Amino acid sequence: MARKEKNRSSHKNREYAVITYFFLLMFLGLIAYFVYFQLVKSDKFINSPYNSLQDLFAKNVVRGEITTADGEVIARTVTDADGNETREYPDGRMFAHAVGYAVNGKAGMEKQENFTLLRSHDFFLTQIVNDISGTKNIGDNVISTLDHKAQNAAYEALDDYDGAVIAIEPETGKIVAMVSKPDYDPNTISADWDEVNGDGSTALYNRATQGQYAPGSVFKIFTALEYYNEFPDTYEDYEFDCDSEITRDGFTIHCSGNKSHGTEDLRKSFAKSCNSSFANIGLTIDNNKLNALCNDMLFNKDIPIEFESKASKFSLSNSDTTALTMQTCIGQGNTLVSPLHMCMVAGAICNGGTLMTPYIVDRVENAGGMVVTQNEPQKNKALMSEKQAAFLQDLMSAVVSEGTGSKLADQSYDAYGKTGTAQVSDTTDQTNAWFVGYAKKDGYNDLAIAVVVEDSGAGSTYAVPIAKKVFDTYFNE
């Protein structure tokens, strides 16, 4: 009997021990997570643009300025004699989608850097005096990577057309220009809200990062690269006789303007943007491999940028029809791309295959000009090998020297690119003009660019001149 009581008591002790250790482990786990949150997650949580508690800082801090890389103020807070604050945008519509707005919600850098602009790293004694006197502290200033002159050139060149222009330094990922039209005036966004946010309006939509367009012939960059990958030793022997169209399995692809290009190799096919030749190439390569290549090229993936953006879409397999294969390989079909994505691809080609993560904030300074934080260029991935990049560089050089991008030839800088004229749908004659490329000049950082001009015409006629104006300004032409 005594032995049974002893066993029962021992069993209860073990149960107590298990329960005690269980709660002890839970307590230690909570402590560990609390420490982890404080050291790792708290800043990210507080800095999230979706954290509405950030705006409480506005009671004690005057929102800081946003400037361009070359020192122009593009957003500031003006306080009148009665202490009323107004957010002011000196350039109005020109930086609308890049800078954004700070009323009726937030957008652009105003959203991305909301917490930064509402924090003050001013001299601590100044802050103490301000707190005692009830005076607001001055928020930190955001120094963007944007170039005021390049932005102005892009904005003016796009003129009255809807579309987008985005330019990035390939070696760093710094966004130099970001324009989207239709646009809005951030100075009057509150009064204009019902109009710009109403049914049918796309003025708030940033086409540079969120636009989804049929790529047209700029997609031939990927088709050509896949052909190179599958035929690395014989691609230079490629030959096609273009008589303005190609028909396979009852489906016909026409060259632009029904132009006959004659006998072409791969380089001339790319330079002249021959639809017939590239439809033929599309039937030569493996659809599944092209699909895998595009996935590696960031299709169907989130773009690595803090700005709101949309993923480009691509899908093609060996089970698809001849007609869809031919359409897809010349940039029609079901493919959709964003200007940002295409600019990043152009930048990687320029940069020997290495893709840098795009960013729009260079640094944060306090009200006195002292650096609080400094962003540094970050490698995203090797988008392609150096040999693949060199192959595409040669093709894109031919577009300028002997093809559809000839308006960029014979400049003080060396330009490379690909034009495109994308049909919007099968039921309309509307086309969007494209140019994707980059330029180099000794003594300057290289510049990659993507231009799309909606409801216009040929890329060589409408998109190339816009890219030229940006290059001319950037390289002080």
Side-chain angles (χ1 to χ4, degrees), residues 458-470:
S460 58
T461 304
Y462 291 91
V464 171
I466 293 175
K468 183 178 183 301
K469 288 182 180 179
V470 176

Side-chain angles (χ1 to χ4, degrees), residues 128-301:
I128 292 173
V129 172
N130 287 340
D131 290 340
I132 294 173
S133 64
T135 302
K136 282 189 173 185
N137 290 304
I138 305 300
D140 293 339
N141 299 322
V142 169
I143 315 303
S144 75
T145 59
L146 297 168
D147 181 280
H148 194 276
K149 292 179 180 178
Q151 180 82 6
N152 182 68
Y155 187 83
E156 294 295 331
L158 193 53
D159 200 23
D160 292 331
Y161 282 98
D162 293 343
V165 182
I166 185 164
I168 301 175
E169 288 184 2
E171 292 180 341
T172 63
K174 291 181 179 181
I175 297 174
V176 173
M178 179 190 289
V179 171
S180 175
K181 292 185 180 183
D183 51 37
Y184 56 90
D185 188 345
N187 291 298
T188 59
I189 189 71
S190 184
D192 300 338
W193 187 254
D194 289 342
E195 177 184 348
V196 299
N197 196 42
D199 292 341
S201 174
T202 59
L204 299 179
Y205 189 69
N206 188 348
R207 284 161 159 76
T209 61
Q210 296 175 288
Q212 292 184 306
Y213 296 94
S217 291
V218 297
F219 185 82
K220 291 171 183 174
I221 291 171
F222 305 105
T223 305
L225 181 57
E226 180 54 36
Y227 187 81
Y228 170 83
N229 289 345
E230 293 187 34
F231 304 98
D233 299 322
T234 59
Y235 74 90
E236 291 179 320
D237 299 328
Y238 174 81
E239 187 174 288
F240 180 80
D241 187 17
C242 171
D243 61 0
S244 81
E245 65 181 37
I246 180 174
T247 301
R248 297 288 186 273
D249 293 342
F251 184 79
T252 301
I253 291 285
H254 297 274
C255 286
S256 179
N258 290 316
K259 184 176 182 179
S260 297
H261 295 103
T263 302
E264 304 170 295
D265 58 10
L266 180 58
R267 195 171 189 266
K268 183 178 179 182
S269 298
F270 192 89
K272 301 296 183 181
S273 201
C274 179
N275 288 339
S276 298
S277 181
F278 267 84
N280 178 64
I281 290 171
L283 296 174
T284 305
I285 59 180
D286 187 300
N287 286 357
N288 289 343
K289 290 182 178 179
L290 178 60
N291 195 79
L293 170 73
C294 288
N295 284 332
D296 288 341
M297 294 284 169
L298 301 183
F299 280 87
N300 307 312
K301 293 181 174 64

Side-chain angles (χ1 to χ4, degrees), residues 44-81:
K44 184 176 181 180
F45 176 78
I46 294 171
N47 289 336
S48 170
Y50 300 102
N51 181 5
S52 60
L53 296 177
Q54 289 180 1
D55 290 336
L56 294 175
F57 286 83
K59 294 181 179 181
N60 301 306
V61 178
V62 176
R63 194 175 186 85
E65 296 179 345
I66 302 175
T67 75
T68 60
D70 45 342
E72 297 290 334
V73 176
I74 50 181
R76 63 190 172 202
T77 297
V78 177
T79 305
D80 65 19

